[in-house]
Amino acid sequence: MIETLSPTRLSCGSRVLDLSRPQVMGILNVTPDSFSDGGRYALRDAALRHAESMLAAGAALVDVGGESTRPGARTVSPTEELERVAPVVEAIARELDVIISVDTSTPAVIREVARLGAGLINDVRSLRRDGALDAAVDTGLPVCLMHMRGEPGDMQDDPHYENVTDEVCIFLERRMAECVAAGIAAQRIVLDPGFGFAKTLEHNLSLFRHLEQLHRLGRPLLVGVSRKSMIGKALGREVGERLYGSLALAALAVTKGAQIVRVHDVAETVDVVRMIAAVNAAE
Ligand code: 8Y4
């Protein structure tokens, strides 16, 4: 069994995340595409119902995101991002007993969702946008720092690494030190190698194989691989056909000591994670 030195509890605003067993973060998309003609509250209500079903399926966190990180995705103004995310965060905080993670890089969004009851800031840009670090410091919330190079729009343009695992480790160690220097206690930090962000299939597979090395940084690890193109490429599967590949990687991530897995298919992943925890609890 992988032994990690990471603490077993993460304080997330008014709630505590128990990391003595692996936890599932459910992905909640709040991009309005399919709700544009459903009236003012259709998006919020659909998101609330989705969050409720993920909570019932065993998710400890839901990750709310209002800005697409897909290559080529349209950029969203801070106002538009806030208009998408804030009502959803407010509704979930009011209605459900779940930790709300918000996938954002935007200072105004960080500050407002903290006020509305978010429990974790999940920033794929590791708080490198102007003002984001100060905003995160002020919230007092934990943050997930993720490895990425460049921006979502250009990150897949021919990425190169000498040793991807070493370089991801060095990046996360440096970024963690910068965040600590700015006033985010190390105990508030979760780390993420950023699968699919500025990495080829070979980079993603090698990074996954050596995932244990990231435990040297002494912080809980979050892994997000659900339905990603590394599964599509390795197996030759379209996005709708990646459940089994996603579950295999969730099982492997947890076996390698990842404390949080970020997934679309919560019920299926919760069974995988609970089964592994049951075996690991045996004599
Ligand atoms: C199909 C479905 C294909 C989803 C690709 C995707 C991560 C993350 C994302 C991650 C953390 C995504 C916001 C990309 N990935 N946050 N966010 N870690 N912490 N793509 O790996 O899900 S968005």
Side-chain angles (χ1 to χ4, degrees), residues 63 69-70 103 122 124 144 146 192 195 197 222 224 226-228 239 242 262 264:
D63 189 39
T69 47
R70 295 229 169 117
D103 156 23
N122 174 32
V124 300
C144 179
M146 195 196 78
D192 183 334
F195 287 102
F197 288 86
L222 188 157
S226 181
R227 299 184 190 172
K228 281 186 180 173
V239 67
R242 296 178 187 169
R262 178 182 179 274
H264 299 87

Side-chain angles (χ1 to χ4, degrees), residues 27-33 43 47 63-70 73-89 101-106 109 113 122 125 129 262:
I27 299 170
L28 189 62
N29 241 326
V30 195
T31 39
D33 322 333
L43 178 61
D63 189 39
V64 182
E67 190 210 13
S68 176
T69 47
R70 295 229 169 117
R74 194 172 62 84
T75 55
V76 173
S77 74
T79 311
E80 197 177 345
E81 190 190 341
L82 199 53
E83 278 170 1
R84 287 182 189 177
V85 167
V88 174
V89 170
S101 161
V102 181
D103 156 23
T104 186
S105 305
T106 311
V109 175
V113 298
N122 174 32
R125 295 178 183 80
R129 242 188 212 164
R262 178 182 179 274

